[in-house]
């Protein structure tokens, strides 16, 4: 009985340590994403650099903003 409690507590501590280590890693080593494309109105090449950590499966998008002539 006591061994089961100790083993369960050790698993919980390992899980918490793993979560903390992963969070620390991502805080110290953020992702860097460089997006390049053509700007709609002028067709010039536009580069955007995003630094940070996004959840898995997250899609970064930009809403269309109406221009003065539109």
């Amino acid at each position: 009985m006591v061994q089961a409690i100790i083993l369960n507590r050790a698993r919980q501590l390992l899980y918490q340590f793993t979560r903390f280590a992963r969070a620390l890693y991502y805080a110290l080593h953020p992702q860097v994403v460089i997006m390049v494309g053509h700007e709609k109105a002028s067709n010039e090449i536009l580069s955007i650099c995003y630094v940070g950590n996004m959840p898995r499966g997250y899609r970064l998008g930009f809403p269309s903003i109406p221009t003065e002539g539109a």
Side-chain angles (χ1 to χ4, degrees):
M1 176 77 170
V2 173
Q3 291 176 342
I5 293 172
I6 293 172
L7 184 59
N8 189 27
R9 185 67 179 147
R11 285 183 184 146
Q12 290 174 350
L13 287 173
L14 180 61
Y15 175 74
Q16 291 295 337
F17 175 76
T18 304
R19 287 186 61 193
F20 173 75
R22 186 177 295 125
L24 183 62
Y25 173 81
Y26 285 122
L28 296 175
H29 300 295
Q31 296 173 337
V32 177
V33 179
I34 298 176
M35 298 169 274
V36 179
H38 292 278
E39 201 273 328
K40 271 187 173 180
S42 65
N43 205 28
E44 292 183 22
I45 295 178
L46 178 68
S47 299
I48 298 173
C49 180
Y50 176 83
V51 178
N53 295 306
M54 295 182 280
R56 286 186 179 170
Y58 183 80
R59 294 186 58 165
L60 187 62
F62 299 96
S64 53
I65 300 171
T67 59
E68 291 178 25

